[in-house]
Coordinates of all heavy atoms in Angstrom, one line a residue:
D1 N 67.9 77.4 78.1 CA 67.1 78.3 77.4 C 67.5 79.7 77.8 O 67.6 80.1 79.0 CB 65.6 78.2 77.7 CG 65.1 76.8 77.1 OD1 65.5 76.6 75.9 OD2 64.2 76.2 77.7
E2 N 67.6 80.6 76.7 CA 67.8 81.9 77.0 C 66.5 82.8 76.9 O 65.6 82.4 76.1 CB 68.9 82.5 75.9 CG 70.2 81.9 76.1 CD 71.3 82.7 75.2 OE1 71.1 83.9 75.1 OE2 72.4 82.1 75.0
A3 N 66.6 83.7 77.8 CA 65.3 84.6 77.7 C 65.2 85.4 76.5 O 66.2 85.7 75.8 CB 65.4 85.6 78.9
S4 N 64.0 85.7 76.0 CA 63.8 86.4 74.8 C 64.2 87.9 75.2 O 64.3 88.3 76.3 CB 62.4 86.5 74.4 OG 61.5 87.0 75.3
I5 N 64.4 88.6 74.1 CA 64.8 90.1 74.4 C 63.6 91.0 74.5 O 63.7 92.3 74.7 CB 65.9 90.6 73.3 CG1 65.3 90.5 71.9 CG2 67.1 89.8 73.5 CD1 66.3 91.0 70.9
G6 N 62.4 90.6 74.2 CA 61.2 91.3 74.4 C 61.0 92.4 73.4 O 60.5 93.5 73.8
I7 N 61.2 92.2 72.1 CA 60.9 93.2 71.2 C 59.9 92.8 70.0 O 59.8 91.5 69.9 CB 62.2 93.7 70.4 CG1 62.8 92.5 69.6 CG2 63.2 94.4 71.4 CD1 63.9 93.0 68.6
S8 N 59.3 93.6 69.6 CA 58.3 93.3 68.4 C 58.8 94.1 67.2 O 59.1 95.2 67.1 CB 56.9 93.9 68.7 OG 56.4 93.2 69.8
M9 N 58.9 93.4 66.1 CA 59.3 93.9 64.8 C 58.0 94.2 64.0 O 57.2 93.3 63.8 CB 60.3 93.0 64.0 CG 61.6 92.9 64.7 SD 62.8 91.8 63.8 CE 62.7 92.6 62.2
I10 N 57.9 95.3 63.4 CA 56.8 95.7 62.6 C 57.5 96.1 61.2 O 58.3 97.0 61.1 CB 56.1 96.9 63.2 CG1 55.5 96.5 64.5 CG2 55.0 97.3 62.1 CD1 54.8 97.6 65.3
I11 N 57.0 95.4 60.2 CA 57.5 95.7 58.9 C 56.4 96.1 58.1 O 55.4 95.5 57.9 CB 58.2 94.3 58.3 CG1 59.3 93.9 59.1 CG2 58.6 94.6 56.8 CD1 59.9 92.6 58.8
G12 N 56.6 97.3 57.4 CA 55.6 97.9 56.5 C 56.0 97.8 55.1 O 57.1 98.3 54.8
V13 N 55.3 97.4 54.2 CA 55.5 97.5 52.7 C 54.3 98.0 52.0 O 53.2 97.7 52.5 CB 56.0 96.0 52.3 CG1 57.2 95.6 53.0 CG2 54.9 94.9 52.5
Q14 N 54.5 98.5 50.9 CA 53.3 98.9 50.0 C 53.0 97.8 49.0 O 52.0 97.8 48.4 CB 53.6 100.1 49.2 CG 53.8 101.3 50.2 CD 53.9 102.6 49.4 OE1 54.7 102.7 48.4 NE2 53.2 103.7 49.9
N15 N 53.9 96.8 48.8 CA 53.7 95.8 47.8 C 54.1 94.4 48.5 O 55.1 94.3 48.9 CB 54.5 96.0 46.6 CG 54.1 95.2 45.4 OD1 54.1 94.0 45.6 ND2 53.6 95.7 44.4
Y16 N 53.1 93.5 48.4 CA 53.3 92.3 49.1 C 54.4 91.3 48.5 O 55.1 90.7 49.2 CB 51.9 91.6 49.1 CG 51.8 90.3 50.0 CD1 51.9 90.4 51.4 CD2 51.6 89.1 49.4 CE1 51.8 89.4 52.1 CE2 51.5 87.9 50.2 CZ 51.5 88.1 51.6 OH 51.3 87.0 52.5
T17 N 54.4 91.4 47.1 CA 55.3 90.5 46.5 C 56.5 91.0 45.5 O 56.9 90.2 44.8 CB 54.5 89.3 45.6 OG1 53.8 90.2 44.8 CG2 53.6 88.6 46.7
A18 N 56.6 92.3 45.5 CA 57.4 92.9 44.5 C 58.8 92.3 44.6 O 59.3 92.1 45.7 CB 57.5 94.4 44.7
Q19 N 59.6 92.3 43.4 CA 60.8 91.7 43.4 C 61.7 92.6 44.3 O 62.7 92.1 44.9 CB 61.4 91.6 42.0 CG 60.7 90.6 41.1 CD 61.1 89.3 41.5 OE1 62.2 89.0 42.0 NE2 60.3 88.3 41.2
S20 N 61.6 93.9 44.2 CA 62.4 94.9 44.9 C 61.5 95.7 45.9 O 60.5 96.4 45.2 CB 63.3 95.7 44.1 OG 62.4 96.5 43.2
G21 N 61.5 95.5 47.2 CA 60.8 96.3 48.0 C 59.5 95.5 48.6 O 58.7 95.9 49.3
G22 N 59.2 94.3 48.1 CA 58.2 93.5 48.6 C 58.6 92.8 49.8 O 59.7 92.9 50.3
L23 N 57.8 91.9 50.3 CA 57.9 91.1 51.5 C 58.4 89.8 51.1 O 57.8 89.0 50.5 CB 56.6 91.0 52.2 CG 56.6 90.8 53.7 CD1 57.6 91.8 54.4 CD2 55.2 90.9 54.3
P24 N 59.6 89.4 51.5 CA 60.2 88.2 51.2 C 59.3 87.0 51.8 O 58.7 87.2 52.8 CB 61.6 88.1 51.9 CG 61.8 89.5 52.0 CD 60.6 90.2 52.2
K25 N 59.2 85.9 51.0 CA 58.5 84.8 51.4 C 58.7 84.3 52.8 O 57.7 83.9 53.6 CB 58.4 83.7 50.4 CG 57.4 82.6 50.7 CD 57.2 81.7 49.5 CE 56.2 80.6 49.9 NZ 55.3 80.2 48.8
A26 N 60.0 84.2 53.3 CA 60.4 83.8 54.5 C 59.7 84.7 55.6 O 59.4 84.2 56.7 CB 61.9 83.8 54.6
V27 N 59.7 85.9 55.4 CA 59.0 86.9 56.4 C 57.6 86.7 56.3 O 56.9 86.6 57.5 CB 59.4 88.3 56.1 CG1 58.6 89.2 56.9 CG2 60.8 88.6 56.1
R28 N 57.0 86.6 55.1 CA 55.5 86.3 55.1 C 55.1 85.1 55.7 O 54.0 85.0 56.5 CB 55.0 86.2 53.6 CG 55.3 87.6 52.9 CD 54.6 87.6 51.5 NE 54.6 86.4 50.7 CZ 55.3 86.2 49.5 NH1 56.1 87.1 49.2 NH2 55.1 85.2 48.9
G29 N 55.9 84.0 55.7 CA 55.5 82.7 56.2 C 55.8 82.7 57.8 O 55.1 81.9 58.3
N30 N 56.5 83.7 58.4 CA 56.8 83.7 59.8 C 55.9 84.8 60.4 O 56.1 85.0 61.8 CB 58.3 83.8 59.9 CG 58.9 82.5 59.7 OD1 58.7 81.5 60.5 ND2 59.7 82.4 58.7
A31 N 55.2 85.5 59.8 CA 54.4 86.7 60.4 C 53.3 86.1 61.3 O 52.9 85.1 61.2 CB 53.8 87.5 59.3
T32 N 53.2 86.8 62.4 CA 52.2 86.5 63.4 C 50.9 87.4 63.3 O 49.9 87.0 63.8 CB 52.8 86.6 64.8 OG1 53.2 88.0 65.1 CG2 53.9 85.8 65.1
H33 N 51.0 88.5 62.6 CA 49.9 89.4 62.4 C 50.0 90.0 61.0 O 51.1 90.2 60.5 CB 49.9 90.5 63.4 CG 49.8 89.9 64.8 ND1 50.8 89.5 65.6 CD2 48.7 89.9 65.7 CE1 50.4 89.1 66.8 NE2 49.1 89.3 66.8
M34 N 48.9 90.5 60.4 CA 48.8 91.2 59.2 C 47.9 92.2 59.3 O 46.7 92.1 59.7 CB 48.6 90.3 58.1 CG 48.5 91.0 56.6 SD 48.2 90.0 55.3 CE 49.8 89.5 55.0
A35 N 48.3 93.5 58.8 CA 47.4 94.6 58.7 C 47.2 94.8 57.1 O 48.3 95.0 56.5 CB 47.7 95.8 59.4
L36 N 46.1 94.9 56.7 CA 45.8 94.9 55.2 C 44.9 96.1 54.9 O 43.7 96.2 55.4 CB 45.3 93.7 54.7 CG 45.1 93.5 53.2 CD1 46.4 93.6 52.5 CD2 44.4 92.1 52.9
W37 N 45.3 97.0 54.1 CA 44.4 98.1 53.7 C 43.9 97.8 52.2 O 44.3 96.8 51.7 CB 45.3 99.3 53.6 CG 45.5 100.0 55.0 CD1 44.8 101.0 55.6 CD2 46.5 99.6 55.9 NE1 45.4 101.2 56.9 CE2 46.4 100.4 57.1 CE3 47.6 98.7 55.9 CZ2 47.1 100.3 58.1 CZ3 48.4 98.5 57.2 CH2 48.1 99.3 58.2
R38 N 43.1 98.7 51.7 CA 42.5 98.5 50.4 C 43.5 98.2 49.4 O 44.6 99.0 49.4 CB 41.6 99.7 50.1 CG 40.2 99.7 50.5 CD 39.4 100.7 49.9 NE 38.2 100.7 50.7 CZ 37.8 101.6 51.5 NH1 38.6 102.5 51.9 NH2 36.6 101.6 52.0
T39 N 43.2 97.2 48.4 CA 44.1 97.1 47.4 C 43.3 96.9 46.2 O 42.2 96.3 46.2 CB 45.1 96.0 47.6 OG1 45.9 95.8 46.3 CG2 44.4 94.6 47.8
K40 N 43.7 97.4 45.0 CA 43.0 97.0 43.8 C 43.7 95.9 43.1 O 43.2 95.6 42.0 CB 43.0 98.4 42.9 CG 42.2 99.5 43.5 CD 42.3 100.8 42.7 CE 41.5 101.7 43.3 NZ 41.6 103.1 42.6
N41 N 44.7 95.5 43.6 CA 45.5 94.3 42.9 C 44.8 93.0 43.3 O 45.1 92.4 44.4 CB 46.9 94.4 43.2 CG 47.7 93.4 42.5 OD1 47.3 92.3 42.1 ND2 49.0 93.7 42.5
K42 N 43.9 92.5 42.5 CA 43.2 91.3 42.9 C 44.1 90.1 42.9 O 43.9 89.0 43.8 CB 42.0 91.0 41.9 CG 40.9 92.1 42.0 CD 40.3 92.1 43.3 CE 39.2 93.2 43.5 NZ 38.7 93.4 44.8
D43 N 45.0 90.0 42.0 CA 46.1 88.9 42.0 C 46.7 88.8 43.3 O 46.9 87.7 43.9 CB 47.0 89.0 40.8 CG 46.3 88.7 39.5 OD1 45.3 88.1 39.5 OD2 46.9 89.3 38.5
E44 N 47.2 89.9 43.8 CA 47.9 90.1 45.1 C 47.0 89.6 46.3 O 47.4 88.9 47.1 CB 48.6 91.4 45.3 CG 49.6 91.5 46.4 CD 50.5 92.7 46.3 OE1 49.9 93.7 46.7 OE2 51.4 92.6 45.9
L45 N 45.6 90.1 46.3 CA 44.8 89.7 47.3 C 44.5 88.2 47.3 O 44.4 87.6 48.4 CB 43.6 90.6 47.1 CG 42.5 90.5 48.1 CD1 43.0 90.9 49.4 CD2 41.2 91.3 47.7
N46 N 44.4 87.7 46.1 CA 44.1 86.3 46.0 C 45.3 85.5 46.5 O 45.2 84.5 47.2 CB 43.8 85.8 44.6 CG 42.4 86.2 44.1 OD1 41.5 86.2 44.9 ND2 42.3 86.5 43.0
L47 N 46.5 85.9 46.2 CA 47.7 85.3 46.8 C 47.7 85.3 48.2 O 48.0 84.4 49.0 CB 49.0 86.0 46.2 CG 50.3 85.3 46.8 CD1 50.5 83.9 46.6 CD2 51.5 86.2 46.4
I48 N 47.4 86.6 48.9 CA 47.4 86.7 50.4 C 46.4 85.7 50.9 O 46.7 85.0 51.8 CB 47.0 88.1 50.7 CG1 48.2 89.1 50.3 CG2 46.8 88.2 52.2 CD1 47.9 90.5 50.5
S49 N 45.2 85.6 50.3 CA 44.1 84.7 50.9 C 44.6 83.2 50.8 O 44.3 82.4 51.7 CB 42.9 84.9 50.0 OG 42.9 84.3 48.7
K50 N 45.4 82.9 49.7 CA 45.9 81.5 49.6 C 47.0 81.2 50.6 O 47.1 80.1 51.2 CB 46.4 81.2 48.2 CG 45.3 81.1 47.2 CD 45.8 81.0 45.7 CE 44.7 81.1 44.7 NZ 45.2 81.2 43.4
E51 N 47.8 82.3 50.9 CA 48.9 82.1 51.9 C 48.3 82.0 53.3 O 48.9 81.4 54.2 CB 49.9 83.2 51.8 CG 50.7 83.1 50.5 CD 52.0 84.0 50.4 OE1 52.2 84.8 51.3 OE2 52.7 83.8 49.5
M52 N 47.0 82.5 53.6 CA 46.5 82.4 54.8 C 45.6 81.1 55.0 O 45.1 80.9 56.0 CB 45.5 83.6 55.0 CG 46.1 85.0 54.9 SD 46.8 85.4 56.5 CE 47.9 86.7 56.0
A53 N 45.7 80.3 54.0 CA 44.8 79.1 53.9 C 45.1 78.2 55.2 O 44.2 77.4 55.4 CB 45.0 78.5 52.7
G54 N 46.3 78.2 55.7 CA 46.6 77.3 56.8 C 45.7 77.8 58.1 O 45.6 77.0 59.0
E55 N 45.3 79.0 58.1 CA 44.6 79.5 59.2 C 43.1 79.7 58.9 O 42.2 79.6 59.7 CB 45.2 80.9 59.6 CG 46.6 80.9 60.0 CD 46.9 80.0 61.2 OE1 46.0 80.0 62.1 OE2 47.9 79.3 61.2
V56 N 42.8 80.1 57.6 CA 41.4 80.4 57.2 C 41.3 80.1 55.8 O 42.2 80.3 55.0 CB 41.0 81.7 57.6 CG1 41.8 82.8 56.8 CG2 39.5 82.1 57.4
E57 N 40.1 79.5 55.4 CA 39.8 79.2 54.0 C 39.9 80.5 53.2 O 39.4 81.6 53.5 CB 38.5 78.6 53.8 CG 38.3 77.2 54.3 CD 39.3 76.2 53.7 OE1 39.4 76.3 52.5 OE2 39.8 75.4 54.5
P58 N 40.5 80.4 51.9 CA 40.7 81.7 51.0 C 39.3 82.4 50.8 O 39.2 83.5 50.8 CB 41.3 81.1 49.7 CG 42.0 79.9 50.2 CD 41.2 79.2 51.3
E59 N 38.2 81.5 50.7 CA 37.0 82.1 50.4 C 36.4 83.0 51.6 O 35.9 84.1 51.4 CB 35.9 81.1 50.1 CG 36.2 80.2 48.8 CD 37.3 79.3 49.0 OE1 37.5 78.8 50.1 OE2 37.8 78.8 48.0
K60 N 36.6 82.4 52.7 CA 36.3 83.1 54.1 C 37.1 84.4 54.2 O 36.7 85.5 54.6 CB 36.5 82.2 55.2 CG 36.0 82.8 56.5 CD 34.4 83.1 56.5 CE 33.8 83.5 57.8 NZ 32.4 83.8 57.6
F61 N 38.4 84.3 53.9 CA 39.3 85.5 54.0 C 38.8 86.6 53.1 O 38.6 87.8 53.6 CB 40.7 85.1 53.6 CG 41.7 86.2 53.6 CD1 42.3 86.5 54.8 CD2 41.9 87.1 52.6 CE1 43.2 87.6 54.9 CE2 42.7 88.1 52.6 CZ 43.5 88.4 53.8
L62 N 38.4 86.3 51.8 CA 37.9 87.2 50.8 C 36.6 87.8 51.3 O 36.4 89.0 51.0 CB 38.0 86.6 49.5 CG 39.3 86.3 49.0 CD1 39.3 85.5 47.5 CD2 40.2 87.5 48.7
E63 N 35.7 87.0 51.8 CA 34.5 87.4 52.3 C 34.6 88.5 53.4 O 34.0 89.4 53.3 CB 33.7 86.3 52.7 CG 32.3 86.6 53.4 CD 31.6 85.4 53.9 OE1 31.9 84.2 53.5 OE2 30.8 85.6 54.9
V64 N 35.4 88.2 54.3 CA 35.6 89.1 55.5 C 36.4 90.3 54.9 O 35.9 91.5 55.3 CB 36.5 88.5 56.5 CG1 36.9 89.4 57.7 CG2 35.7 87.3 57.2
Y65 N 37.4 90.3 54.0 CA 38.1 91.4 53.4 C 37.0 92.3 52.7 O 36.9 93.6 53.0 CB 39.1 91.0 52.5 CG 39.7 92.1 51.7 CD1 40.8 92.9 52.2 CD2 39.2 92.5 50.4 CE1 41.3 93.9 51.5 CE2 39.7 93.5 49.7 CZ 40.8 94.2 50.2 OH 41.2 95.3 49.7
E66 N 36.1 91.8 51.9 CA 35.1 92.5 51.1 C 34.1 93.2 52.1 O 33.8 94.4 51.9 CB 34.4 91.7 50.1 CG 35.3 91.2 49.1 CD 35.7 92.3 48.2 OE1 35.3 93.4 48.1 OE2 36.9 92.1 47.6
Y67 N 33.6 92.5 53.3 CA 32.8 93.2 54.2 C 33.5 94.3 54.8 O 32.9 95.4 55.0 CB 32.5 92.1 55.2 CG 31.7 92.7 56.3 CD1 30.2 93.0 56.1 CD2 32.2 92.9 57.6 CE1 29.6 93.4 57.2 CE2 31.4 93.5 58.6 CZ 30.1 93.7 58.4 OH 29.4 94.2 59.5
I68 N 34.7 94.1 55.3 CA 35.5 95.2 56.0 C 35.6 96.4 55.1 O 35.4 97.6 55.4 CB 36.8 94.7 56.6 CG1 36.5 93.8 57.7 CG2 37.6 95.9 57.1 CD1 37.8 93.0 58.2
M69 N 36.1 96.2 53.8 CA 36.4 97.3 52.9 C 35.1 97.8 52.2 O 35.3 98.8 51.5 CB 37.4 96.7 51.8 CG 38.7 96.2 52.3 SD 39.5 97.4 53.3 CE 40.7 96.3 54.1
S70 N 34.0 97.3 52.4 CA 32.8 97.9 51.9 C 32.4 99.3 52.4 O 31.7 99.9 51.8 CB 31.6 96.9 52.1 OG 31.3 96.9 53.6
D71 N 33.0 99.7 53.4 CA 32.7 101.1 53.9 C 33.5 102.1 53.1 O 34.6 102.4 53.4 CB 33.1 101.2 55.5 CG 32.8 102.5 56.0 OD1 32.2 103.4 55.2 OD2 33.1 102.7 57.2
E72 N 33.0 102.5 52.0 CA 33.6 103.5 51.1 C 33.8 104.9 51.7 O 34.7 105.6 51.2 CB 32.8 103.6 49.8 CG 32.5 102.3 48.9 CD 34.0 101.9 48.3 OE1 34.7 102.6 48.0 OE2 34.1 100.6 48.4
E73 N 33.1 105.1 52.7 CA 33.3 106.4 53.4 C 34.6 106.6 54.2 O 35.1 107.6 54.4 CB 32.1 106.7 54.3 CG 30.8 106.8 53.6 CD 30.5 108.1 52.8 OE1 30.8 109.1 53.3 OE2 30.0 107.9 51.7
D74 N 35.0 105.4 54.8 CA 36.2 105.4 55.6 C 37.5 105.1 54.7 O 37.8 104.1 54.2 CB 36.1 104.2 56.6 CG 37.3 104.2 57.6 OD1 38.1 105.0 57.4 OD2 37.1 103.5 58.7
R75 N 38.3 106.2 54.6 CA 39.4 106.2 53.7 C 40.5 105.4 54.3 O 41.6 104.9 53.8 CB 39.9 107.6 53.3 CG 39.0 108.4 52.4 CD 39.5 109.8 52.1 NE 40.9 109.9 52.7 CZ 41.3 111.2 53.0 NH1 40.7 112.3 52.6 NH2 42.5 111.3 53.5
H76 N 40.4 105.1 55.7 CA 41.5 104.5 56.5 C 41.2 103.2 57.0 O 41.9 102.6 57.8 CB 42.0 105.5 57.6 CG 42.3 106.9 57.1 ND1 43.4 107.1 56.4 CD2 41.5 108.0 57.3 CE1 43.4 108.5 56.1 NE2 42.3 109.0 56.7
V77 N 40.2 102.6 56.5 CA 39.7 101.2 56.8 C 40.8 100.2 56.6 O 41.5 100.3 55.6 CB 38.4 100.8 56.2 CG1 38.5 100.6 54.7 CG2 37.7 99.7 56.9
M78 N 40.9 99.3 57.5 CA 42.0 98.3 57.3 C 41.6 97.0 58.0 O 40.6 97.1 58.9 CB 43.3 98.7 57.9 CG 43.3 99.1 59.3 SD 43.6 97.8 60.5 CE 45.3 97.6 60.6
M79 N 42.2 95.8 57.6 CA 41.8 94.6 58.2 C 43.0 94.1 59.0 O 44.1 94.2 58.4 CB 41.4 93.6 57.0 CG 41.2 92.2 57.4 SD 40.6 91.3 56.0 CE 41.0 89.7 56.3
F80 N 42.8 93.7 60.2 CA 43.9 93.2 61.0 C 43.7 91.7 61.2 O 42.6 91.3 61.7 CB 44.0 93.9 62.3 CG 45.2 93.6 63.1 CD1 46.4 94.1 62.9 CD2 45.0 92.6 64.1 CE1 47.4 93.7 63.7 CE2 46.0 92.2 64.9 CZ 47.4 92.8 64.7
V81 N 44.7 90.9 60.9 CA 44.6 89.4 61.0 C 45.6 89.0 62.0 O 46.7 89.2 61.9 CB 44.7 88.6 59.7 CG1 44.5 87.2 59.9 CG2 43.9 89.3 58.7
D82 N 45.1 88.3 63.1 CA 45.9 87.6 64.1 C 46.1 86.2 63.7 O 45.1 85.4 63.9 CB 45.3 87.8 65.5 CG 46.2 87.3 66.7 OD1 47.1 86.5 66.4 OD2 45.9 87.5 67.7
L83 N 47.3 85.9 63.2 CA 47.5 84.5 62.7 C 47.8 83.4 63.9 O 47.9 82.4 63.6 CB 48.7 84.6 61.8 CG 48.4 85.4 60.6 CD1 49.8 85.6 59.7 CD2 47.4 84.8 59.7
H84 N 47.7 83.9 65.1 CA 47.7 83.1 66.3 C 46.7 83.4 67.2 O 46.7 84.0 68.3 CB 49.1 83.3 67.1 CG 50.3 82.9 66.2 ND1 50.7 81.6 66.1 CD2 51.1 83.5 65.5 CE1 51.7 81.4 65.3 NE2 52.0 82.7 64.8
K85 N 45.4 82.9 66.6 CA 44.1 83.3 67.3 C 44.2 83.0 68.8 O 44.6 81.9 69.2 CB 42.9 82.6 66.6 CG 41.6 83.0 67.0 CD 40.6 82.4 66.2 CE 40.0 81.1 66.8 NZ 39.1 81.2 67.9
K86 N 43.6 83.8 69.5 CA 43.5 83.6 71.1 C 42.2 83.0 71.4 O 41.1 83.2 70.8 CB 43.6 84.9 71.7 CG 44.7 85.9 71.3 CD 46.0 85.3 71.5 CE 47.2 86.4 71.0 NZ 47.4 86.4 69.8
N87 N 42.2 82.1 72.4 CA 41.0 81.5 72.9 C 40.0 82.5 73.4 O 38.8 82.2 73.4 CB 41.3 80.5 74.0 CG 42.0 79.3 73.4 OD1 41.9 79.0 72.3 ND2 42.8 78.6 74.2
S88 N 40.5 83.7 74.0 CA 39.6 84.6 74.5 C 38.9 85.5 73.4 O 38.1 86.3 73.8 CB 40.5 85.5 75.4 OG 41.4 86.2 74.7
H89 N 39.2 85.4 72.1 CA 38.6 86.2 71.2 C 38.0 85.2 70.1 O 38.7 84.3 69.6 CB 39.7 87.0 70.5 CG 39.0 88.2 69.7 ND1 38.5 88.0 68.5 CD2 38.8 89.5 70.1 CE1 38.0 89.2 68.1 NE2 38.0 90.0 69.0
P90 N 36.7 85.5 69.8 CA 36.0 84.5 68.8 C 36.6 84.5 67.4 O 36.2 83.6 66.7 CB 34.5 85.0 68.9 CG 34.7 86.4 69.2 CD 35.9 86.6 70.1
S91 N 37.3 85.5 67.0 CA 37.8 85.6 65.6 C 39.1 86.0 65.5 O 39.7 86.6 66.4 CB 36.8 86.5 64.8 OG 37.3 86.7 63.5
M92 N 39.9 85.5 64.4 CA 41.2 86.0 64.1 C 41.1 87.4 63.5 O 42.2 88.0 63.3 CB 41.9 85.0 63.3 CG 41.3 84.9 61.8 SD 42.0 83.5 60.8 CE 43.6 83.7 60.9
F93 N 39.9 87.8 62.9 CA 39.9 89.1 62.3 C 39.5 90.2 63.4 O 38.6 90.1 64.1 CB 38.8 89.1 61.2 CG 39.2 88.0 60.2 CD1 38.4 86.9 60.1 CD2 40.2 88.2 59.3 CE1 38.7 85.9 59.2 CE2 40.5 87.2 58.4 CZ 39.7 86.0 58.3
R94 N 40.2 91.5 63.2 CA 39.8 92.6 64.1 C 39.5 93.7 63.1 O 40.0 94.0 62.2 CB 41.0 93.0 64.8 CG 41.8 91.8 65.6 CD 41.0 91.4 66.8 NE 41.8 90.5 67.8 CZ 42.0 89.2 67.6 NH1 41.6 88.7 66.6 NH2 42.6 88.7 68.5

């Protein structure tokens, strides 16, 4: 076994699924964390919730998203999802 090189890759995109400039499915499927800001694209939000279904039910994901984004005063509100939930934290949502 070789030692890991100890780096973290952070990939930022404005569109989750765009043909050019979106996040390829191979990357989406291997992500360990996701930061999600407000979106008006309900189709894309539903796709994200379905792709998270291995970790959390789509309905629960959307419920938590709506709760977090309900603070209309906070222009910078975001939802952070840890796709490898830790035993020391009660939730995958931050």
Side-chain angles (χ1 to χ4, degrees):
D1 288 324
E2 293 197 23
S4 65
I5 58 175
I7 63 169
S8 296
M9 290 183 58
I10 298 172
I11 301 171
V13 296
Q14 288 185 325
N15 193 302
Y16 192 66
T17 58
Q19 292 290 336
S20 60
L23 202 54
K25 189 167 180 144
V27 173
R28 296 190 322 251
N30 286 293
T32 59
H33 299 81
M34 174 180 275
L36 184 61
W37 283 262
R38 275 192 188 98
T39 180
K40 293 180 181 176
N41 187 335
K42 295 297 179 189
D43 291 336
E44 194 165 76
L45 186 59
N46 285 327
L47 175 63
I48 294 169
S49 73
K50 289 175 186 167
E51 288 190 358
M52 299 282 165
E55 302 298 323
V56 62
E57 292 296 317
E59 296 80 17
K60 185 66 170 177
F61 179 89
L62 293 171
E63 176 186 332
V64 172
Y65 173 85
E66 293 298 333
Y67 174 77
I68 292 169
M69 300 303 164
S70 67
D71 183 359
E72 297 293 329
E73 300 286 318
D74 188 349
R75 295 182 357 203
H76 306 289
V77 68
M78 55 87 83
M79 177 174 155
F80 184 81
V81 183
D82 183 348
L83 298 170
H84 296 277
K85 187 173 96 74
K86 314 298 183 278
N87 291 333
S88 61
H89 197 279
S91 173
M92 66 190 309
F93 302 109
R94 312 281 196 280

